[in-house]
Amino acid sequence: MLILDRVSKTYGDDTEAVREVSFELQPGEFAVVLGQSGAGKSTLLRCINRLVEPTAGRIALDGEDITGAPPDRLRTLRRRIGMIFQNYNLVGRNSVLTNVLAGRLGYTPPSYALLNHFSPQDVEEAHATLSRLGIADKTHRRADSLSGGQQQRVGIARALMQRPRVILADEPVASLDPATVESILETLLDINRKDGVTILCNLHVPELARRFGRRILGMKAGDLVFDTTPDALEAAQIDVLYDMPVSL
Ligand SMILES: Nc1ncnc2c1ncn2[C@@H]1O[C@H](COP(=O)(O)OP(=O)(O)OP(=O)(O)O)[C@@H](O)[C@H]1O
């Protein structure tokens, strides 16, 4: 279970990106954080794995405090939290396989990691994961030679290699065409259902949030303004989020 308790992040003196946000995610949930650009979605997600240090509040995963964890403990906790980025965050000149194996770095002794030395089991798992995601034929290609959708699949494969309890997906489909958007979100849903991985996914498109999220957390100007299900989500709530009428 992931618990956020009054989490806040202020950048500098006065940019309150996230203000006292609290919620709990049960294992296996698929939750979407919905909000317009600048609402604080990305900051919120990054607070969870402490890519951004929260200014206040507490975050815990499976009863373990993330917010107060010292560096070595944080490294262990981060293994359980995979992250997927809008811009994929791959090392473009490295092969797809090397990028996917990077998901095992949290489990690899630092001296081995420096040499990109991974166990045969890790390599086997990377191949199996690439097959599962339908890009086995790209295994030895440079990551930057792939299409956006294929690169995002590499990002997802890398996250899966962590054997995560939770995947944080920060606008994972914002740069993709409509057909690829569908297939990437279907892939995340499949991982959620089959592997039981809890997913917290930032999206700015209400229609996608409603179709793929099993729970929708609305953020506006740093505040969590609603926490509801797709069926209960009302058009008026969306309009408030975007300060304009948005048809669903
Ligand atoms: N590193 C930073 N330093 C200062 N201010 C920041 C930083 N990162 C984000 N902000 C500010 O925090 C607020 C929330 O930004 P954030 O990126 O979290 O929102 P978002 O909802 O994810 O939007 P987007 O989808 O456009 O990234 C914005 O006002 C933004 O300008």
Side-chain angles (χ1 to χ4, degrees), residues 31-80:
V32 167
V33 183
L34 180 67
Q36 58 177 273
S37 182
K41 309 180 298 295
S42 187
T43 300
L44 178 70
L45 240 66
R46 284 159 197 260
C47 281
I48 293 173
N49 57 7
R50 284 180 50 197
L51 283 181
V52 165
E53 283 293 342
T55 323
R58 196 179 138 265
I59 301 170
L61 178 62
D62 296 333
E64 287 196 61
D65 187 25
I66 294 178
T67 16
D72 55 338
R73 190 69 207 133
L74 183 60
R75 179 177 136 97
T76 310
L77 283 165
R78 276 184 176 154
R79 291 175 185 170
R80 299 191 214 153

Side-chain angles (χ1 to χ4, degrees), residues 146-207:
L146 270 52
S147 71
Q150 291 162 348
Q151 290 194 49
Q152 193 55 290
R153 289 183 179 279
V154 176
I156 295 171
R158 179 180 59 192
L160 281 178
M161 288 295 286
Q162 291 177 232
R163 297 187 198 140
R165 293 269 293 149
V166 179
I167 287 181
L168 307 174
D170 191 7
E171 295 279 3
V173 294
S175 315
L176 303 173
D177 65 81
T180 311
V181 165
E182 293 290 318
S183 78
I184 292 291
L185 290 175
E186 285 291 349
T187 298
L188 290 178
L189 205 51
D190 183 69
I191 290 166
N192 170 253
R193 286 186 180 143
K194 294 201 177 121
D195 304 29
V197 177
T198 306
I199 296 192
L200 186 60
C201 179
N202 284 350
L203 293 173
H204 62 261
V205 180
E207 189 261 336

